[in-house]
Amino acid sequence: MRISDLSRAADVPVATIKYYLREGLLPAGRHLSRTQSDYDGTHVERLRLIRALAEVGGLGIARIGRILEAIDTPTTDRLAVLEAAQRALTVPPDEETAAGDADVAADAPGPSRALAWVQERGWSVDPADPVLTDLDRAWDACDAGELGIDARRLDAYADGIELIARADVSSVPDDPSRAVRQVVLGTVLMDPVLSALRRLAQQHMAVTGQVLAAQSPLGGDVTSR
Amino acid sequence: MRISDLSRAADVPVATIKYYLREGLLPAGRHLSRTQSDYDGTHVERLRLIRALAEVGGLGIARIGRILEAIDTPTTDRLAVLEAAQRALTVPPDEETAAGDADVAADAPGPSRALAWVQERGWSVDPADPVLTDLDRAWDACDAGELGIDARRLDAYADGIELIARADVSSVPDDPSRAVRQVVLGTVLMDPVLSALRRLAQQHMAVTGQVLAAQSPLGGDVTSR
């Protein structure tokens, strides 16, 4: 199909498609003439994926590029799959500082609370893993919002997260060419699903009388108002 | 303190502080002279919160403004608290379209999968709740990534999410002046915490041999390599 048909099929403007082609996010079409190329279903699929990452995942071009690169590089080694996913998902320092003038964590140096908590929890995690820095930053941000997150609170969340990670794990296909894709996209695209589920579950508990009754034991009062 | 001291205390540039003052995100200081105002600890706190929302929450000025407004409006009614939170957290259509030319869900009209799933699950949720639209969009994005999310998969995630929502619920303070703040900030600032926890838990399971062994029952093989 021509680029105008591709634009209609994927619902992405021609100018945006040309931008993605220049940035290498979308493979070139089959050359037809000096000014025309032929595109197929794989281009439609790739464009839909880029849109999902940009719009729902909220990612910029550079991160989308790294994610697509990881997806396009199949590997058979199980730790290599996770390392490829980590590389694709971690924000390098230069991209990070573009978002603001200073790091939220900058005024809270010292040992990593995240690492101490993970070790206490008994999770096997590389102490140099950049996700620990993400967790420290997110924890600091909760402090700035005076949410009072402590190790006990994190443990309560971790009980739920372990169930979720098990569901993630059981969905990773044996086919190595699809494993990296599944792990990387599963991390980026599922977070908004989990965020929406969390808000709906909170509402359910409010309506059934379980929210804002902080002092009463949960599940006791199930009368709606 | 003067604006330059405030800048140092909150680690936010003076120009940014002036921008927040103009946009109404930060209350004016006490007037000292035609060119000078006096700021105090409440201004430092508010600036730290704005930074956390912008940098870790990744939110724009308009949404931060709505969130601060919700926080500053205490209410005693438990459903009013959640409604205020929803208003602050929902992206209005005009902001949404600024991110892209078309909606991911635009080519998938028809009945809401999210609503059907929520009703099947037995959650008490307003059928007009905008979070259901968020869930439909996120689900569509997972389809674009060919993640194969279905109702059964969502149920597995919902088991973990219900534990998390219970932990959220039990942390909401009785003091109504703090309840809205806790619910709104808890939603925005905790999502990055949960996202980091999920990635760490996945890694733990990979190292202990629980990841990428999709076909084998979980927890069987706990030898690390």
Side-chain angles (χ1 to χ4, degrees):
Chain A
M1 68 185 89
R2 305 233 173 131
I3 198 167
S4 54
D5 302 317
L6 177 62
S7 166
R8 266 189 298 276
D11 199 12
V12 172
V14 169
T16 308
I17 294 176
K18 287 183 174 168
Y19 173 60
Y20 292 157
L21 286 166
R22 279 197 306 277
E23 294 291 323
L25 297 189
L26 189 69
R30 195 168 54 91
H31 193 72
L32 288 183
S33 74
R34 210 168 58 82
T35 56
Q36 284 201 345
S37 295
D38 184 46
Y39 301 91
D40 58 27
T42 64
H43 292 92
V44 177
E45 243 178 63
R46 175 56 53 110
L47 277 175
R48 289 204 173 123
L49 177 57
I50 294 171
R51 267 182 59 195
L53 291 168
E55 293 176 20
V56 177
L59 304 183
I61 290 295
R63 287 190 82 184
I64 292 175
R66 277 202 306 282
I67 284 171
L68 296 177
E69 199 188 317
I71 286 173
D72 294 339
T73 315
T75 170
T76 49
D77 179 283
R78 73 157 65 148
L79 277 182
V81 165
L82 272 155
E83 277 160 19
Q86 298 286 12
R87 264 199 314 282
L89 295 169
T90 304
V91 182
D94 55 323
E95 248 174 78
E96 210 160 3
T97 47
D101 295 287
D103 201 23
V104 168
D107 46 6
S112 164
R113 282 193 291 181
L115 179 59
W117 174 81
V118 158
Q119 288 173 338
E120 182 69 25
R121 177 90 192 173
W123 283 356
S124 303
V125 168
D126 177 0
D129 194 297
V131 180
L132 289 170
T133 311
D134 290 350
L135 180 54
D136 272 319
R137 290 186 75 213
W139 197 339
D140 288 338
C142 287
D143 287 346
E146 293 167 73
L147 287 182
I149 307 292
D150 54 16
R152 232 185 87 240
R153 198 60 201 285
L154 278 196
D155 274 322
Y157 287 121
D159 293 340
I161 287 293
E162 284 182 357
L163 287 185
I164 290 166
R166 287 230 165 79
D168 288 331
V169 159
S170 67
S171 76
V172 174
D174 280 337
D175 176 4
S177 73
R178 300 198 58 81
V180 173
R181 178 189 173 93
Q182 181 82 22
V183 171
V184 173
L185 295 184
T187 301
V188 178
L189 295 178
M190 280 298 302
D191 272 353
V193 170
L194 296 172
S195 171
L197 288 182
R198 181 171 164 237
R199 287 157 69 184
L200 293 169
Q202 288 172 346
Q203 192 184 129
H204 166 61
M205 289 173 185
V207 172
T208 56
Q210 296 184 40
V211 132
L212 302 188
Q215 253 52 293
S216 72
L218 286 171
D221 170 23
V222 200
T223 47
S224 57
R225 61 166 208 176
Chain B
M1 67 185 89
R2 306 231 172 131
I3 197 166
S4 54
D5 301 317
L6 177 62
S7 167
R8 265 189 299 277
D11 197 12
V12 172
V14 169
T16 308
I17 294 176
K18 288 184 174 167
Y19 174 59
Y20 292 157
L21 286 167
R22 278 198 306 276
E23 294 291 323
L25 298 189
L26 190 70
R30 195 167 54 91
H31 192 73
L32 288 183
S33 74
R34 208 169 56 83
T35 57
Q36 282 200 347
S37 295
D38 184 44
Y39 301 92
D40 59 27
T42 64
H43 292 91
V44 178
E45 242 178 65
R46 176 55 53 112
L47 276 175
R48 289 206 173 122
L49 177 58
I50 295 171
R51 267 183 59 196
L53 291 169
E55 293 175 21
V56 177
L59 303 184
I61 290 296
R63 286 190 82 182
I64 292 175
R66 277 202 306 281
I67 285 171
L68 296 176
E69 199 189 317
I71 287 173
D72 294 339
T73 315
T75 170
T76 48
D77 180 284
R78 72 156 66 147
L79 277 183
V81 165
L82 272 154
E83 275 160 20
Q86 297 287 11
R87 262 198 315 281
L89 295 169
T90 303
V91 182
D94 55 322
E95 248 174 80
E96 207 159 7
T97 47
D101 296 287
D103 201 24
V104 168
D107 45 6
S112 163
R113 282 193 292 182
L115 179 58
W117 175 81
V118 158
Q119 287 173 338
E120 181 69 24
R121 176 91 193 172
W123 281 357
S124 303
V125 168
D126 178 0
D129 194 297
V131 180
L132 289 170
T133 311
D134 290 349
L135 181 54
D136 273 319
R137 287 185 77 214
W139 196 339
D140 288 337
C142 288
D143 287 345
E146 293 169 72
L147 287 182
I149 307 293
D150 55 16
R152 233 185 87 239
R153 193 68 195 285
L154 277 197
D155 274 322
Y157 286 120
D159 293 340
I161 287 293
E162 284 181 357
L163 288 185
I164 289 166
R166 286 229 167 80
D168 289 330
V169 160
S170 66
S171 75
V172 175
D174 279 338
D175 175 3
S177 73
R178 300 199 56 83
V180 173
R181 179 190 172 93
Q182 181 82 25
V183 171
V184 173
L185 295 184
T187 301
V188 177
L189 295 177
M190 280 297 301
D191 272 353
V193 170
L194 296 173
S195 172
L197 288 183
R198 180 170 163 236
R199 287 158 70 183
L200 293 169
Q202 288 172 347
Q203 193 184 129
H204 166 61
M205 288 174 185
V207 173
T208 55
Q210 295 183 41
V211 131
L212 303 189
Q215 255 51 295
S216 71
L218 285 171
D221 168 26
V222 198
T223 48
S224 57
R225 59 166 206 176

